[in-house]
């Protein structure tokens, strides 16, 4: 038996992936880092598939919340209540209609959940990984910023120093939908940068990859968007799933499960586009930026 720790398993792509992993690999004990009722409902559903599921109530928008959940999981690992840690999936993600949402720690929430939370969790679990182990971070092809990858639905990322990017109001006209979606694409670029930095630092046998599900309408991701966008996501875009630019939630969930289970061939540091390792954007390979982002995340960890 081995342990998989997963965020973002309570709805959308991650919920399907969690179900698939439990069905395909009876050796997995899944630790669900989920919040409130959403976490409890998912636990009930997944327990119908396997007894090997543990819920640890976690709000990823709180540094204290992340810290105490990580301590709980590490205690269970150390006491032998959980089998050895061999996988982590950082799938949770948010997108807002502005760039002004703030966490209790003062970070912009998109950055906090999509970028910082993965770093803090990985730092906490790093000493417990037993090789061979695999870490998957869900990112997005919106990080490319071009029409081919975004369909014009999400603006291109706008990089600046991490201290600015991490705070509310980092983008022009921060109260607008455009700013909220720029915060999203930028956070996904940042997440890929961190995957590159982690890949340089992790020991042999502990691999980290990023996973892009493509455009997957009908999940909860646009739940804070206006009625037109929600209608498009629920009713119009799914019809495009017969084209290569859109995937259905079940298909994207299965591909995430394959990435987690190591069934998609992908070397450490690489970017899985649905089910194939391909280069991420040219901009996303930048060791100086990656190093600075790591340092910033470390300051946040120590200050928080
Ligand atoms: N859908 C797409 O088109 C698309 C495209 C590219 C990438 N992605 C990425 O795919 C991943 C999954 O997204 P999805 O589309 O399946 O969206 P979703 O249905 O909204 O799922 C998001 C997940 O993140 C969790 N989450 C968000 N904030 C959290 C917090 N503060 N604490 C704990 N958990 C939190 C949610 O938990 P709750 O149930 O508690 O809300 C949920 O499990 C995200 O990283 C997203 O950015 C999606």
């Amino acid at each position: 038996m081995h342990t998989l720790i997963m965020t973002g398993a309570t709805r959308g792509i991650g919920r399907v992936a969690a179900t698939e992993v439990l069905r395909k690999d009876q050796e997995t004990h899944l630790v669900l880092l989920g919040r409130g009722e959403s976490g409890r409902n998912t636990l009930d559903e997944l327990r119908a598939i396997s007894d090997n599921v543990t819920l640890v109530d976690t709000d990823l928008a709180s540094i204290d919340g992340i810290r105490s959940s990580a301590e709980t999981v590490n205690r269970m690992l150390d006491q032998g209540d959980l089998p050895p840690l061999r996988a982590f999936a950082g799938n949770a993600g948010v997108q807002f209609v502005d760039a002004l949402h703030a966490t209790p720690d003062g970070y912009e929430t998109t950055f906090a959940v999509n970028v910082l939370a993965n770093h803090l969790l990985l730092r906490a679990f790093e000493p417990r990984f037993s090789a061979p182990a695999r870490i998957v971070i869900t990112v997005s092809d919106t990080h490319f910023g071009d029409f081919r990858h975004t369909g014009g639905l999400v603006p291109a990322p706008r990089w600046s120093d991490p201290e600015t990017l991490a705070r509310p109001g980092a983008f022009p006209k921060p109260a607008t939908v455009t700013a909220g979606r720029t915060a999203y694409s930028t956070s996904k670029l940042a997440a890929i940068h961190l995957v590159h930095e982690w890949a340089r630092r992790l020991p042999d046998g502990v691999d980290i990859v990023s996973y892009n599900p493509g455009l997957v309408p009908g999940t909860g991701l646009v739940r804070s968007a206006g009625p037109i966008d929600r209608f498009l996501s629920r009713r119009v875009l799914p019809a495009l799933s017969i084209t290569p630019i859109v995937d259905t939630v079940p298909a994207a969930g299965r591909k995430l499960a394959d990435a987690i289970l190591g069934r998609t061939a992908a070397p450490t540091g690489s970017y899985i586009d649905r089910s194939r390792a391909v280069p991420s954007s040219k901009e996303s390979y930048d060791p100086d930026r990656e190093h600075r982002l790591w340092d910033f995340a470390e300051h946040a960890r120590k200050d928080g």
Side-chain angles (χ1 to χ4, degrees):
M1 290 293 294
H2 48 253
T3 294
L4 158 66
I5 301 170
M6 186 163 177
T7 72
T10 53
R11 59 176 95 213
I13 300 164
R15 188 150 162 171
V16 174
T19 308
E20 286 288 311
V21 168
L22 291 173
R23 285 206 177 113
K24 286 180 174 161
D25 179 16
Q26 264 109 50
E27 296 296 300
T28 290
H29 188 112
L30 174 65
V31 175
L32 203 63
L33 302 185
R35 52 181 172 172
E37 206 185 324
S38 188
R40 289 190 293 277
N41 290 342
T42 309
L43 178 69
D44 290 344
E45 187 185 294
L46 295 178
R47 279 265 171 86
I49 301 169
S50 166
D51 291 334
N52 300 321
V53 187
T54 302
L55 170 67
V56 178
D57 192 61
T58 312
D59 180 2
L60 297 168
S62 153
I63 292 182
D64 271 351
I66 290 171
R67 192 170 286 142
S68 81
S69 292
E71 280 168 11
T72 303
V73 178
N74 280 340
R75 208 175 312 119
M76 290 192 274
L77 285 165
D78 293 345
Q79 290 171 350
D81 297 335
L82 288 172
L85 178 60
R86 291 202 196 278
F88 174 89
N91 176 66
V94 288
Q95 186 181 115
F96 296 108
V97 288
D98 59 49
L100 294 171
H101 283 61
T103 68
D105 308 298
Y107 295 105
E108 193 279 317
T109 309
T110 319
F111 187 91
V113 173
N114 298 6
V115 186
L116 210 45
N118 287 325
H119 183 77
L120 302 179
L121 289 169
L122 287 179
R123 283 290 273 151
F125 298 134
E126 186 181 5
R128 265 81 176 183
F129 280 109
S130 305
R134 192 167 179 90
I135 299 163
V136 179
I137 306 295
T138 302
V139 296
S140 163
D141 51 3
T142 60
H143 85 277
F144 278 93
D146 55 0
F147 189 84
R148 184 161 83 85
H149 293 92
T150 67
L153 297 170
V154 178
R158 278 177 71 111
W159 196 259
S160 57
D161 67 285
E163 175 57 45
T164 305
L165 291 179
R167 303 289 175 187
F171 303 98
K173 302 193 181 137
T176 60
V177 175
T178 301
R181 292 187 180 163
T182 308
Y184 178 78
S185 60
T186 307
S187 75
K188 295 299 184 178
L189 174 60
I192 296 171
H193 282 320
L194 273 182
V195 166
H196 294 161
E197 190 62 30
W198 270 100
R200 283 191 282 272
R201 293 173 184 249
L202 284 165
D204 281 353
V206 183
D207 289 355
I208 182 167
V209 295
S210 48
Y211 161 76
N212 164 52
L215 180 57
V216 187
T219 70
L221 193 65
V222 292
R223 69 189 107 146
S224 70
I228 295 174
D229 282 342
R230 278 186 279 126
F231 175 78
L232 278 173
S233 175
R234 269 203 319 271
R235 305 264 179 246
V236 181
L237 288 174
L240 296 177
S241 61
I242 50 163
T243 72
I245 61 161
V246 167
D247 238 339
T248 62
V249 181
R254 280 196 297 275
K255 289 169 193 169
L256 174 56
D258 284 345
I260 294 169
L261 292 169
R263 294 182 180 187
T264 307
T268 192
S270 66
Y271 173 85
I272 298 175
D273 177 28
R274 292 163 247 215
S275 48
R276 211 162 54 93
V278 300
S280 49
S281 73
K282 218 167 155 201
E283 181 183 12
S284 71
Y285 299 93
D286 188 332
D288 286 346
R289 224 188 236 188
E290 287 155 7
H291 193 78
R292 286 184 58 194
L293 184 59
W294 175 282
D295 284 348
F296 173 77
E298 282 297 285
H299 281 301
R301 182 173 73 89
K302 288 170 192 155
D303 293 350

